[in-house]
C-alpha cells in the first residue's frame, strides 16, 4: 500500500510537470481559460494533494524501508 501510494504520487507529479513543460505557463490557467480548459491546473493541484494526503513522501519511504526491505530503525 505504501509503495503504491508513493508510486502514484510520484507519477502524478511527473505527468503534471511534463504537461506544464509541454503547454507552458498557460496550462496553469483556471477552468475554461487555458489549454485543456483548466484540466492541467486541476491535475497539478491534485498531484500535490495526493502526495500530502497519502502521507509525506519521506514517511512513505520510511514505511517501505521498514516493512518491505526489513531495514532497522
Amino acid at each position: 500500500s505504501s509503495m503504491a501510494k508513493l508510486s502514484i504520487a510520484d507519477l502524478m507529479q511527473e505527468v503534471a510537470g511534463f504537461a506544464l513543460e509541454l503547454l507552458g505557463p498557460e496550462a496553469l490557467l483556471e477552468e475554461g481559460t487555458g489549454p485543456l480548459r483548466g484540466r492541467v491546473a486541476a491535475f497539478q493541484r491534485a498531484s500535490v494533494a495526493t502526495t500530502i494526503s497519502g502521507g509525506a513522501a519521506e514517511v512513505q519511504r520510511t514505511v517501505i524501508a521498514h516493512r518491505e526491505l526489513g531495514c532497522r530503525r
Side-chain angles (χ1 to χ4, degrees), residues 12-63:
M12 285 181 73
Q13 289 202 353
E14 284 185 42
V15 169
F18 179 73
L20 291 174
E21 271 186 51
L22 185 67
L23 299 171
E26 296 84 22
L28 292 176
L29 294 175
E30 291 303 316
E31 205 171 312
T33 57
L36 301 176
R37 299 183 186 157
R39 289 186 182 109
V40 174
F43 187 79
Q44 206 288 333
R45 286 191 306 273
S47 73
V48 173
T50 299
T51 301
I52 295 168
S53 68
E58 284 303 314
V59 172
Q60 293 299 330
R61 286 183 180 93
T62 301
V63 169

